[in-house]
Amino acid sequence: MMKTIGKFLRLSMLMLVVLTTIGNLAAAPKNADNDKTIKILAIGNSFSQDAIEQYFWELAEAEGIRVVVGNLYFGGCSLEGHLSFLKEGKSVYEYRKIKRGIKVNTPKVNLDKALTDEKWDYISFQQASHFSGLKDTYMPYMKELMEYVREKVGPDVKFLFHSTWAYSEDSNHSGFKNYDNSQMKMYNDIIAATRHAMKIGDFYKVIPSGTAIQNGRTSELGDTFCRDGYHLNLIYGRYTAACTWFETIFGLSVVGNPYSPRGISERQRIVAQQAAHAAVANPYEITPIE
């Protein structure tokens, strides 16, 4: 009798362990890698604000990926401007960081403070939008800035180049005249400058946000991806850029990702995801979205 009870208790304990293990596995994030948190910093401006401050963290969370997102923000800042701030030691940035889904904005931060705040896995660079298609504005500023960052954070960090979008056809941005006020000329010049940057810079990948937006413009949504002629539409414009960052960095198709921002329609969500997916597959070519 006692043997039977003992055997029953051992079997019960075994079943409890098995069920607990299964439950823990079911609850674990789908793409968790030993609780690894991926840390990404953008040295940017309002275009990096549009791309990663809103929906990128949520897209990652939907796939069980833990991320810390930082944006070193100074409106309209060029590569030359970033290098100038660095050399002069100026604390002019607003440092926006998203951790555990909570965004904290810290004013009057310099480049060194942001670079050493976390052990970054990825750091992105980008040109100011009005110079984004002008190859002559990239050097020597980009090279000097990258060399400093590499020395500061170490050899393991991966550099990303954020290739930004062309303005709307009706944009009144003063920099649009650099491209004869033509969206397609601006887009093609950005692609040429991006190819140039990727050849001369120590970049791991290009983030083709500009191509994703141009892809989206071929859909029935048309030339509506900017809210003021150059900054992105607050919902599906920003969502398209965030989807592009997501797929580029994590290598996972964003098509079918369950996260949708509030206010987006099903059609807008599909166009955004497909436009980003096609851009990552073909970063230097426009893919029509039907």
Side-chain angles (χ1 to χ4, degrees), residues 240-282:
T240 301
C243 286
T244 309
W245 277 70
F246 172 89
E247 184 156 332
T248 299
I249 291 173
F250 301 120
L252 297 172
S253 175
V254 76
V255 176
N257 185 291
Y259 172 71
S260 296
R262 181 175 298 179
I264 198 170
S265 72
E266 180 63 11
R267 184 57 187 158
Q268 290 166 351
R269 184 185 71 85
I270 291 171
V271 167
Q273 290 187 356
Q274 291 186 349
H277 180 70
V280 175
N282 296 289

Side-chain angles (χ1 to χ4, degrees), residues 9-251:
L9 289 174
R10 286 194 296 273
L11 287 172
S12 297
M13 289 298 293
L14 179 61
M15 286 298 295
L16 180 62
V17 170
V18 170
L19 290 172
T20 300
T21 302
I22 292 173
N24 289 339
L25 288 172
K30 288 183 287 184
N31 294 295
D33 180 16
N34 297 322
D35 294 332
K36 168 69 173 175
T37 298
I38 306 299
K39 300 180 180 182
I40 303 151
L41 175 68
I43 299 175
N45 49 42
S46 61
F47 276 38
S48 54
Q49 174 189 18
D50 271 351
I52 61 171
E53 286 192 26
Q54 289 68 225
Y55 310 130
F56 176 76
W57 188 93
E58 288 82 355
L59 285 163
E61 183 191 38
E63 290 290 349
I65 303 171
R66 297 178 177 89
V67 294
V68 172
V69 182
N71 185 29
L72 202 56
Y73 170 86
F74 188 92
C77 196
S78 65
L79 291 166
E80 182 180 7
H82 288 302
L83 184 62
S84 175
F85 293 151
L86 169 64
K87 289 181 175 180
E88 296 173 17
K90 288 188 174 180
S91 299
V92 295
Y93 294 100
E94 184 171 322
Y95 176 43
R96 290 104 174 258
K97 186 165 78 168
I98 305 169
K99 194 169 187 175
R100 301 186 185 92
I102 300 171
K103 183 192 287 188
V104 176
N105 293 355
T106 306
K108 298 181 180 179
V109 172
N110 60 32
L111 183 64
D112 279 358
K113 181 173 175 60
L115 290 176
T116 57
D117 182 52
E118 299 278 356
K119 184 173 175 56
W120 302 107
D121 296 288
Y122 299 94
I123 295 177
S124 73
F125 301 81
Q126 65 188 55
Q127 181 56 293
S129 65
H130 49 287
F131 292 149
S132 56
L134 306 179
K135 290 190 287 187
D136 291 344
T137 66
Y138 282 69
M139 298 300 285
Y141 318 111
M142 186 178 74
K143 184 177 181 181
E144 290 185 36
L145 186 62
M146 293 177 72
E147 287 175 349
Y148 179 85
V149 173
R150 174 70 71 191
E151 183 177 346
K152 191 74 177 179
V153 300
D156 296 332
V157 67
K158 293 181 173 67
F159 289 157
L160 305 168
F161 182 75
H162 185 207
S163 181
T164 54
W165 49 91
Y167 299 159
S168 299
E169 285 285 8
D170 61 354
S171 178
N172 60 7
H173 193 294
S174 60
F176 204 19
K177 65 179 181 293
N178 292 331
Y179 312 98
D180 301 330
N181 295 300
S182 166
Q183 183 182 103
M184 283 311 302
K185 176 172 173 51
M186 186 174 185
Y187 171 75
N188 288 328
D189 286 353
I190 290 171
I191 292 302
T194 297
R195 288 182 181 274
H196 177 67
M198 294 300 291
K199 286 180 180 178
I200 62 179
D202 180 24
F203 290 111
Y204 172 63
K205 286 182 179 180
V206 60
I207 304 175
S209 293
T211 296
I213 295 302
Q214 209 62 38
N215 289 347
R217 286 168 170 157
T218 69
S219 74
E220 71 269 27
L221 299 180
D223 194 16
T224 65
F225 278 77
C226 291
R227 66 184 186 269
D228 57 4
Y230 48 101
H231 292 115
L232 292 179
N233 167 279
L234 294 175
I235 302 175
Y236 58 86
R238 285 178 163 182
Y239 184 66
T240 301
C243 286
T244 309
W245 277 70
F246 172 89
E247 184 156 332
T248 299
I249 291 173
F250 301 120

